């Protein structure tokens, strides 16, 4: 389980290095497979300010830039990107290593010395979920003013440290950030802070007015709860949520899908969100699948079901495979306006 240390710190005061923290977790019986430093996914790529841009004397499509690289001095860089004086951009210096392992060397470009290469998000190994504009096929334009010469990933806040913890079969309770934070607190002799789960309902109404829930197999599903939200607007999640999901290997989708995944990772409670329009008959029925029933799941695959499988159904057919994956038809769409959230155990 990949766990950002910054996320753990929301629940416990960590005042030791990642290496010492890993050693303490090992003493408790956990395996720490890797300590991942996001900042180290590139080497020697720094923030620079473009001081001037002039035409290349031997190539119409190239420009020669003078840049302020902080402690590295004022450097000359040849580029084919359309950059302007005053912009802050990432520069891979001589000897830099990009996220894909490419090594950058200084050299002459059409007879003019270039001391490195301007970088886009792809070279840094980041996307728009990490920093706006990183997914464009262009040089990454940094917004605001930055200290020149420092690590660009550190400058944009992409510098978390992630523990890749192997949770053993006898400790499934630790498959969440909060539960692992309890173990960290024990290892360091610290207090643990409980998650903040207070909320306020601004409009009345009962979920029974939106959808009914019927559990036909209480042995496989002892408890199933649902809540409904109306007048939903679908948009990208806040940067922090997207950053943390990416850090643990989950691709951000939108605000509704992302919050269900965020809850799963933070406290270990699986959730799923349905587009209310796909719950025909305004019903959720928890039952075992019928022989030869089928469902197309969110990954686009057609799955054949059998009676040993627990499924979540509307009045007509399965809309999710319980505890595994939701159905494609009932997934959240760009125009979804009414959402039914499920939480089960």
């Amino acid at each position: 389980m990949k766990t950002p240390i910054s996320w753990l710190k929301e629940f416990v005061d960590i005042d030791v290095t990642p290496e010492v923290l890993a050693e303490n977790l090992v003493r408790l019986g956990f395996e720490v497979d890797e300590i991942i430093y996001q900042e180290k996914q590139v080497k020697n790529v720094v923030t620079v300010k473009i001081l001037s841009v002039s035409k290349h004397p031997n190539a119409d499509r190239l420009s020669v830039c003078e840049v302020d690289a902080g402690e590295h001095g004022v450097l000359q860089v040849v580029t084919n990107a359309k950059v302007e004086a005053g912009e802050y951009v990432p520069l891979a210096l001589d000897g830099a290593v990009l996220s894909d392992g490419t090594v950058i060397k200084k050299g002459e470009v059409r007879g003019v010395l270039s001391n490195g290469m301007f970088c886009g998000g792809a070279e840094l190994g980041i996307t728009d979920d990490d920093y706006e504009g990183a997914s464009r096929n262009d040089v990454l334009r940094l917004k605001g003013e930055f200290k020149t010469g420092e690590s660009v990933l550190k400058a944009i806040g992409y510098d978390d440290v992630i523990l890749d913890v192997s949770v053993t079969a006898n400790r499934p309770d630790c498959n969440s950030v909060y539960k692992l934070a309890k173990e960290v607190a024990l290892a360091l002799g610290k207090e643990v802070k409980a998650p903040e789960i207070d909320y306020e309902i601004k409009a009345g109404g009962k979920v029974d007015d939106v959808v009914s829930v019927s559990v036909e197999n209480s042995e496989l599903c002892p408890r199933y709860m649902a809540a409904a939200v109306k007048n939903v607007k679908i948009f990208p999640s806040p940067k922090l949520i997207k950053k943390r999901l990416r850090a643990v290997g989950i691709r951000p989708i939108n605000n509704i899908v992302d919050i269900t995944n965020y809850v799963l990772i933070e406290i270990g409670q699986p959730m799923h969100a349905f587009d209310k329009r796909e719950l025909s008959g305004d019903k959720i029925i928890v039952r075992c699948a019928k022989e030869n029933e089928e469902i197309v799941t969110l990954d686009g695959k057609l799955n054949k079901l059998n009676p040993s499988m627990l499924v979540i159904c509307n009045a007509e057919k399965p809309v999710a495979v319980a505890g595994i994956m939701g159905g494609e038809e009932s997934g959240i769409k760009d125009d979804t306006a009414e959402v039914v959230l499920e939480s089960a155990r």
Side-chain angles (χ1 to χ4, degrees), residues 160-172:
D160 211 336
V161 182
I162 302 162
L163 299 181
D164 190 354
V165 181
S166 179
V167 179
T168 53
N170 65 320
R171 294 303 309 273

Side-chain angles (χ1 to χ4, degrees), residues 103-335:
V103 178
I104 302 300
K105 295 290 186 180
K106 68 179 180 180
E108 289 190 356
V109 180
R110 298 292 296 273
V112 175
L113 177 65
S114 181
N115 289 287
M117 182 187 79
F118 295 146
C119 297
E123 287 82 18
L124 301 177
I126 61 175
T127 70
D128 279 350
D129 296 326
D130 305 302
Y131 193 84
E132 185 179 353
S135 294
R136 297 173 192 155
N137 186 24
D138 192 8
V139 171
L140 179 61
R141 321 299 169 113
L142 305 177
K143 298 168 179 61
E145 295 187 0
F146 293 82
K147 179 181 177 181
T148 55
E150 75 171 342
S151 162
V152 67
L153 292 182
K154 180 179 179 181
I156 65 174
Y158 190 81
D159 58 350
D160 211 336
V161 182
I162 302 162
L163 299 181
D164 190 354
V165 181
S166 179
V167 179
T168 53
N170 65 320
R171 294 303 309 273
D173 56 302
C174 292
N175 278 311
S176 71
V177 175
Y178 174 57
K179 297 298 178 60
L180 193 59
K182 286 187 170 185
E183 301 299 316
V184 170
L186 177 63
L188 300 181
K190 303 281 188 176
E191 296 292 327
V192 66
K193 178 183 176 184
E196 296 181 6
I197 58 174
D198 293 338
Y199 63 94
E200 178 183 354
I201 298 178
K202 294 185 178 181
K206 298 180 179 180
V207 67
D208 293 341
D209 298 330
V210 178
V211 63
S212 66
V213 175
S214 173
V215 178
E216 295 185 359
N217 191 324
S218 58
E219 182 177 351
L220 294 181
C221 181
R223 191 177 189 190
Y224 187 101
M225 301 182 69
V229 185
K230 297 182 178 181
N231 302 318
V232 168
K233 299 294 183 184
I234 305 301
F235 51 82
S237 295
K239 180 180 178 180
L240 177 63
I241 289 179
K242 292 194 291 185
K243 177 181 177 181
R244 286 181 170 175
L245 290 179
R246 280 254 299 162
V248 301
I250 297 176
R251 181 173 63 91
I253 305 294
N254 57 51
N255 54 331
I256 300 300
V257 175
D258 292 351
I259 197 59
T260 62
N261 287 328
Y262 193 90
V263 168
L264 171 64
I265 299 300
E266 183 168 79
I267 64 173
Q269 175 59 55
M271 294 186 66
H272 185 66
F274 296 105
D275 186 321
K276 168 61 171 56
R277 294 173 298 186
E278 303 301 330
L279 297 177
S280 65
D282 297 337
K283 291 183 178 181
I284 290 178
I285 302 170
V286 184
R287 62 169 173 82
C288 289
K290 299 175 183 178
E291 197 68 57
N292 297 321
E293 272 190 313
E294 296 179 337
I295 183 173
V296 177
T297 43
L298 286 169
D299 57 2
K301 295 180 180 179
L302 176 64
N303 300 271
K304 291 187 179 297
L305 306 174
N306 63 63
S308 69
M309 301 175 179
L310 191 70
V311 290
I312 314 301
C313 308
N314 58 23
E316 302 172 355
K317 60 184 180 180
V319 292
V321 182
I324 305 297
M325 189 176 293
E328 186 175 58
E329 292 182 4
S330 64
I332 303 302
K333 306 168 184 65
D334 291 342
D335 64 345

